[in-house]
C-alpha cells in the first residue's frame, strides 16, 4: 500500500512542471527582464570597452619599447671622446662603451692589417 | 533594444512558466521570495547568455543556469541561518501537500542525486541529465534508481 502511495506521489510530481504557471503579466515580466539587463553585465555588451583597454595597453607597451630602443641604441649621447694618433694623424671618435685608447689603437691596427 | 536583447527577451517569455516552476521548487521560506529568486535567475541567464551557443536545447541550458544559481543562493541562505542561529524555516508550506512532502525528502539527498532526481521529475530524459550533471547515461540511470529506492524507504518510514 505504502509502495503504491509512493509511486503515485512520484508520478504526480512528474506532472507538476507541466502545470506551472508564472503569475507575472507581460508588463511585470518586462520589468524583471529590463532590471536583469540593467543590473547585470553581459559580456557581449562589454567587448568594446575591453578592446579599448587592450589597445591602450598594447600601444603604451609599444611606445615604451620604442623609447627604450631609441634611448639606448640610437640617440644615446657619447660618454666620452677619444683621441688616438695613427701614422701621425689624429683621429677623434665618440666612445660609448668606456673603451680605452690602447684597445682602440689595437682594434684599428687589426682592421688595417 | 538590440538583437541580442530581443532574442533574450523572447526566450524568457517562451520559458517563463518553467523558470518560475524551478524557482518555486527551491522554496527558501521568508529568506527569498519566489519573485526574488526569479529575478536572480534572470540576471544570471542574461549574464551567461552570450555563452549559449545552441548546442543544448534552450530549456536544458536555462535549467542548468537556474539550478546552479538557486543552489548557491540556498547554500548562502542556509549558512546565514546557521550563523544567525535561527530556527530553520519551513521551506515548503503551500497547498501542494503531496508535492511538498516528496520534495522535502528529496532535499535530504546528496547534492548530485538531488539534481538528478529533480531534473528527472522536471521532465528531462537520461541523456539530457547526463549532459547537465557531467556523468554517463548509465550512471544517471543507476543513481536515479538508487535515489528512488532511498526515497521510498524514507517515505515508508515517515508514514
Amino acid at each position: 500500500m505504502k509502495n503504491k502511495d509512493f509511486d503515485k506521489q512520484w508520478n504526480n510530481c512528474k506532472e507538476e512542471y507541466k502545470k506551472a504557471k508564472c503569475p507575472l503579466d507581460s508588463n511585470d515580466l518586462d520589468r524583471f527582464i529590463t532590471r536583469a539587463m540593467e543590473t547585470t553585465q553581459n559580456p557581449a555588451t562589454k567587448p568594446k570597452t575591453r578592446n579599448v583597454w587592450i589597445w591602450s595597453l598594447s600601444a603604451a607597451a609599444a611606445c615604451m619599447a620604442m623609447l627604450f630602443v631609441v634611448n639606448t641604441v640610437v640617440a644615446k649621447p657619447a660618454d666620452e671622446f677619444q683621441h688616438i694618433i695613427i701614422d701621425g694623424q689624429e683621429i677623434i671618435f665618440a666612445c660609448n662603451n668606456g673603451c680605452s685608447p690602447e684597445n682602440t689603437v689595437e682594434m684599428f691596427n687589426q682592421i688595417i692589417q | 533594444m538590440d538583437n541580442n536583447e530581443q532574442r533574450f527577451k523572447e526566450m524568457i517569455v517562451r520559458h517563463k512558466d518553467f523558470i518560475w516552476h524551478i524557482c518555486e521548487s527551491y522554496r527558501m521560506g521568508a529568506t527569498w521570495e519566489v519573485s526574488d529568486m526569479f529575478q536572480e535567475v534572470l540576471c544570471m541567464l542574461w549574464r551567461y547568455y552570450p555563452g549559449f551557443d545552441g548546442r543544448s536545447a534552450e530549456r536544458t541550458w536555462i535549467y542548468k543556469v537556474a539550478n546552479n544559481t538557486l543552489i548557491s543562493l540556498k547554500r548562502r541562505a542556509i549558512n546565514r541561518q546557521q550563523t544567525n542561529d535561527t530556527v530553520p524555516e519551513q521551506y515548503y508550506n503551500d497547498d501542494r501537500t503531496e508535492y511538498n512532502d516528496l520534495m522535502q525528502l528529496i532535499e535530504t539527498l546528496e547534492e548530485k542525486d538531488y539534481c538528478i532526481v529533480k531534473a528527472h521529475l522536471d521532465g528531462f530524459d537520461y541523456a539530457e541529465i547526463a549532459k547537465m550533471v557531467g556523468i554517463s547515461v548509465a550512471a544517471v540511470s543507476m543513481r536515479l534508481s538508487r535515489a528512488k529506492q532511498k526515497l521510498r524507504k524514507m517515505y515508508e518510514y515517515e508514514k
Side-chain angles (χ1 to χ4, degrees):
Chain A
M1 185 64 193
K2 279 176 185 172
N3 254 339
K4 273 187 184 170
D5 202 21
F6 174 82
D7 289 330
K8 194 181 150 205
Q9 271 212 34
W10 181 264
N11 289 329
N12 283 345
C13 285
K14 281 169 87 170
E15 296 298 308
E16 204 61 38
Y17 78 93
K18 293 176 192 165
K19 298 181 212 159
K21 195 96 195 117
C22 174
L24 304 174
D25 62 25
S26 59
N27 284 339
D28 283 339
L29 188 62
D30 230 34
R31 210 159 32 82
F32 272 74
I33 295 171
T34 311
R35 202 182 303 152
M37 286 173 172
E38 281 169 1
T39 55
T40 314
Q41 283 178 340
N42 175 327
T45 60
K46 291 211 76 189
K48 284 175 195 158
T49 324
R50 197 175 50 198
N51 279 348
V52 167
W53 274 105
I54 290 170
W55 280 112
S56 310
L57 285 173
S58 307
C63 280
M64 284 177 73
M66 208 140 81
L67 274 174
F68 177 78
V69 170
V70 168
N71 207 23
T72 55
V73 179
V74 182
K76 192 178 177 188
D79 291 336
E80 54 189 323
F81 290 91
Q82 296 288 352
H83 298 253
I84 54 170
I85 296 167
I86 296 175
D87 293 339
Q89 208 169 1
E90 189 185 27
I91 299 173
I92 303 171
F93 63 94
C95 182
N96 277 329
N97 302 315
C99 48
S100 67
E102 293 78 25
N103 286 344
T104 316
V105 170
E106 201 176 313
M107 196 177 74
F108 268 82
N109 284 334
Q110 274 175 8
I111 293 168
I112 290 162
Q113 280 164 15
Chain B
M1 192 177 274
D2 67 19
N3 261 353
N4 204 31
E5 290 176 348
Q6 189 58 38
R7 268 186 284 123
F8 178 75
K9 200 180 158 191
E10 284 165 9
M11 182 184 78
I12 298 300
V13 171
R14 270 197 301 278
H15 296 283
K16 65 180 181 356
D17 293 336
F18 185 55
I19 299 173
W20 190 267
H21 164 73
I22 304 169
C23 295
E24 259 189 334
S25 68
Y26 274 91
R27 283 285 168 92
M28 291 182 229
T31 322
W32 284 86
E33 294 288 333
V34 181
S35 55
D36 295 334
M37 291 190 267
F38 187 78
Q39 179 71 74
E40 197 73 14
V41 168
L42 289 195
C43 288
M44 287 299 124
L45 287 171
W46 172 241
R47 184 170 173 184
Y48 294 112
Y49 187 59
F52 174 56
D53 51 9
R55 266 187 297 174
S56 56
E58 261 180 12
R59 190 170 176 270
T60 312
W61 178 76
I62 288 175
Y63 192 76
K64 202 173 170 182
V65 174
N67 263 311
N68 289 342
T69 308
L70 294 166
I71 284 174
S72 73
L73 280 186
K74 190 158 202 168
R75 274 196 210 127
R76 259 190 277 162
I78 289 170
N79 284 344
R80 204 172 304 142
Q81 272 179 357
Q82 280 170 350
T83 35
N84 291 347
D85 204 20
T86 52
V87 181
E89 308 226 21
Q90 183 69 37
Y91 293 143
Y92 299 97
N93 50 6
D94 61 17
D95 54 352
R96 300 175 305 169
T97 326
E98 283 188 348
Y99 179 67
N100 295 340
D101 282 352
L102 196 56
M103 282 312 286
Q104 265 177 341
L105 290 182
I106 292 170
E107 281 238 323
T108 61
L109 293 172
E110 182 197 322
E111 204 166 280
K112 208 163 203 167
D113 287 339
Y114 171 76
C115 290
I116 292 170
V117 170
K118 245 189 116 277
H120 175 67
L121 293 177
D122 286 334
F124 290 97
D125 61 31
Y126 287 3
E128 286 171 316
I129 300 172
K131 235 187 225 175
M132 266 188 246
V133 186
I135 55 177
S136 68
V137 175
V140 169
S141 161
M142 191 189 69
R143 287 188 86 134
L144 186 62
S145 142
R146 280 185 190 162
K148 198 171 167 186
Q149 258 177 359
K150 198 175 169 185
L151 286 169
R152 192 188 295 276
K153 271 186 194 158
M154 280 154 69
Y155 183 82
E156 284 166 8
Y157 180 77
E158 291 231 330
K159 291 286 162 177

